[in-house]
mmCIF file of all heavy atoms in Angstrom:
data_model
loop_
_atom_site.group_PDB
_atom_site.id
_atom_site.type_symbol
_atom_site.label_atom_id
_atom_site.label_comp_id
_atom_site.label_asym_id
_atom_site.label_seq_id
_atom_site.Cartn_x
_atom_site.Cartn_y
_atom_site.Cartn_z
ATOM 1 N N ALA A 263 -5.132 -5.534 -6.174
ATOM 2 C CA ALA A 263 -5.678 -6.519 -5.293
ATOM 3 C C ALA A 263 -5.718 -6.110 -3.866
ATOM 4 O O ALA A 263 -6.683 -6.429 -3.106
ATOM 5 C CB ALA A 263 -4.946 -7.872 -5.408
ATOM 6 N N CYS A 264 -4.697 -5.414 -3.361
ATOM 7 C CA CYS A 264 -4.662 -4.939 -2.055
ATOM 8 C C CYS A 264 -5.834 -3.933 -1.867
ATOM 9 O O CYS A 264 -6.445 -3.876 -0.860
ATOM 10 C CB CYS A 264 -3.306 -4.411 -1.660
ATOM 11 S SG CYS A 264 -1.993 -5.615 -1.580
ATOM 12 N N ALA A 265 -5.871 -3.069 -2.853
ATOM 13 C CA ALA A 265 -6.892 -1.917 -2.665
ATOM 14 C C ALA A 265 -8.351 -2.457 -2.727
ATOM 15 O O ALA A 265 -9.221 -1.923 -2.080
ATOM 16 C CB ALA A 265 -6.766 -0.909 -3.857
ATOM 17 N N GLU A 266 -8.582 -3.581 -3.406
ATOM 18 C CA GLU A 266 -9.848 -4.167 -3.378
ATOM 19 C C GLU A 266 -10.359 -4.611 -1.925
ATOM 20 O O GLU A 266 -11.532 -4.658 -1.700
ATOM 21 C CB GLU A 266 -10.026 -5.346 -4.318
ATOM 22 C CG GLU A 266 -9.900 -5.036 -5.747
ATOM 23 C CD GLU A 266 -9.822 -6.139 -6.796
ATOM 24 O OE1 GLU A 266 -9.827 -7.278 -6.194
ATOM 25 O OE2 GLU A 266 -9.799 -5.979 -7.939
ATOM 26 N N VAL A 267 -9.356 -4.863 -1.139
ATOM 27 C CA VAL A 267 -9.765 -5.194 0.299
ATOM 28 C C VAL A 267 -9.405 -4.050 1.189
ATOM 29 O O VAL A 267 -9.277 -4.236 2.495
ATOM 30 C CB VAL A 267 -9.092 -6.501 0.798
ATOM 31 C CG1 VAL A 267 -9.699 -7.670 -0.022
ATOM 32 C CG2 VAL A 267 -7.496 -6.507 0.615
ATOM 33 N N GLY A 268 -9.160 -2.901 0.626
ATOM 34 C CA GLY A 268 -9.004 -1.687 1.507
ATOM 35 C C GLY A 268 -7.626 -1.497 2.046
ATOM 36 O O GLY A 268 -7.441 -0.834 3.092
ATOM 37 N N GLU A 269 -6.558 -1.988 1.449
ATOM 38 C CA GLU A 269 -5.182 -2.020 1.891
ATOM 39 C C GLU A 269 -4.225 -1.368 1.042
ATOM 40 O O GLU A 269 -4.237 -1.467 -0.148
ATOM 41 C CB GLU A 269 -4.756 -3.507 2.310
ATOM 42 C CG GLU A 269 -5.512 -4.189 3.245
ATOM 43 C CD GLU A 269 -5.110 -5.675 3.346
ATOM 44 O OE1 GLU A 269 -4.077 -6.062 2.635
ATOM 45 O OE2 GLU A 269 -5.746 -6.346 4.145
ATOM 46 N N MET A 270 -3.347 -0.471 1.680
ATOM 47 C CA MET A 270 -2.118 -0.032 0.988
ATOM 48 C C MET A 270 -1.330 -1.168 0.659
ATOM 49 O O MET A 270 -1.245 -2.144 1.493
ATOM 50 C CB MET A 270 -1.298 0.846 1.857
ATOM 51 C CG MET A 270 -2.068 2.261 2.161
ATOM 52 S SD MET A 270 -1.723 3.394 0.911
ATOM 53 C CE MET A 270 -2.554 4.865 1.624
ATOM 54 N N ASN A 271 -0.557 -1.157 -0.347
ATOM 55 C CA ASN A 271 0.299 -2.214 -0.756
ATOM 56 C C ASN A 271 1.712 -2.033 -0.070
ATOM 57 O O ASN A 271 2.628 -1.449 -0.584
ATOM 58 C CB ASN A 271 0.492 -2.322 -2.245
ATOM 59 C CG ASN A 271 1.442 -3.494 -2.662
ATOM 60 O OD1 ASN A 271 1.915 -4.275 -1.843
ATOM 61 N ND2 ASN A 271 1.755 -3.590 -4.003
ATOM 62 N N THR A 272 1.797 -2.500 1.108
ATOM 63 C CA THR A 272 2.919 -2.325 1.935
ATOM 64 C C THR A 272 4.218 -3.020 1.443
ATOM 65 O O THR A 272 5.406 -2.683 1.704
ATOM 66 C CB THR A 272 2.682 -2.709 3.500
ATOM 67 O OG1 THR A 272 1.541 -2.104 3.932
ATOM 68 C CG2 THR A 272 3.850 -2.290 4.342
ATOM 69 N N LEU A 273 3.930 -4.075 0.603
ATOM 70 C CA LEU A 273 5.036 -4.849 0.034
ATOM 71 C C LEU A 273 5.977 -3.997 -0.822
ATOM 72 O O LEU A 273 7.118 -4.292 -0.938
ATOM 73 C CB LEU A 273 4.465 -6.053 -0.751
ATOM 74 C CG LEU A 273 3.398 -6.960 0.000
ATOM 75 C CD1 LEU A 273 2.975 -8.019 -0.929
ATOM 76 C CD2 LEU A 273 4.148 -7.497 1.288
ATOM 77 N N LEU A 274 5.434 -2.944 -1.342
ATOM 78 C CA LEU A 274 6.287 -2.102 -2.247
ATOM 79 C C LEU A 274 7.389 -1.407 -1.330
ATOM 80 O O LEU A 274 8.489 -1.427 -1.719
ATOM 81 C CB LEU A 274 5.373 -0.976 -2.798
ATOM 82 C CG LEU A 274 4.367 -1.375 -3.821
ATOM 83 C CD1 LEU A 274 3.403 -0.301 -4.099
ATOM 84 C CD2 LEU A 274 4.900 -1.819 -5.143
ATOM 85 N N SER A 275 6.982 -1.043 -0.211
ATOM 86 C CA SER A 275 8.051 -0.400 0.694
ATOM 87 C C SER A 275 8.961 -1.461 1.231
ATOM 88 O O SER A 275 10.246 -1.076 1.511
ATOM 89 C CB SER A 275 7.413 0.319 1.856
ATOM 90 O OG SER A 275 6.703 -0.513 2.787
ATOM 91 N N LYS A 276 8.548 -2.697 1.469
ATOM 92 C CA LYS A 276 9.418 -3.705 1.873
ATOM 93 C C LYS A 276 10.364 -4.064 0.737
ATOM 94 O O LYS A 276 11.640 -4.214 0.964
ATOM 95 C CB LYS A 276 8.704 -4.928 2.291
ATOM 96 C CG LYS A 276 7.843 -4.913 3.608
ATOM 97 C CD LYS A 276 8.790 -4.815 4.756
ATOM 98 C CE LYS A 276 8.028 -4.821 6.002
ATOM 99 N NZ LYS A 276 8.960 -4.681 7.204
ATOM 100 N N ASP A 277 9.952 -4.157 -0.458
ATOM 101 C CA ASP A 277 10.755 -4.480 -1.626
ATOM 102 C C ASP A 277 11.881 -3.391 -1.683
ATOM 103 O O ASP A 277 13.004 -3.725 -2.011
ATOM 104 C CB ASP A 277 9.956 -4.578 -2.840
ATOM 105 C CG ASP A 277 9.056 -5.861 -2.954
ATOM 106 O OD1 ASP A 277 9.390 -6.748 -2.079
ATOM 107 O OD2 ASP A 277 8.230 -5.928 -3.769
#
Side-chain angles (χ1 to χ4, degrees):
C264 291
E266 287 175 2
V267 291
E269 297 174 3
M270 293 275 186
N271 183 2
T272 311
L273 306 180
L274 295 166
S275 62
K276 289 292 185 184
D277 290 344

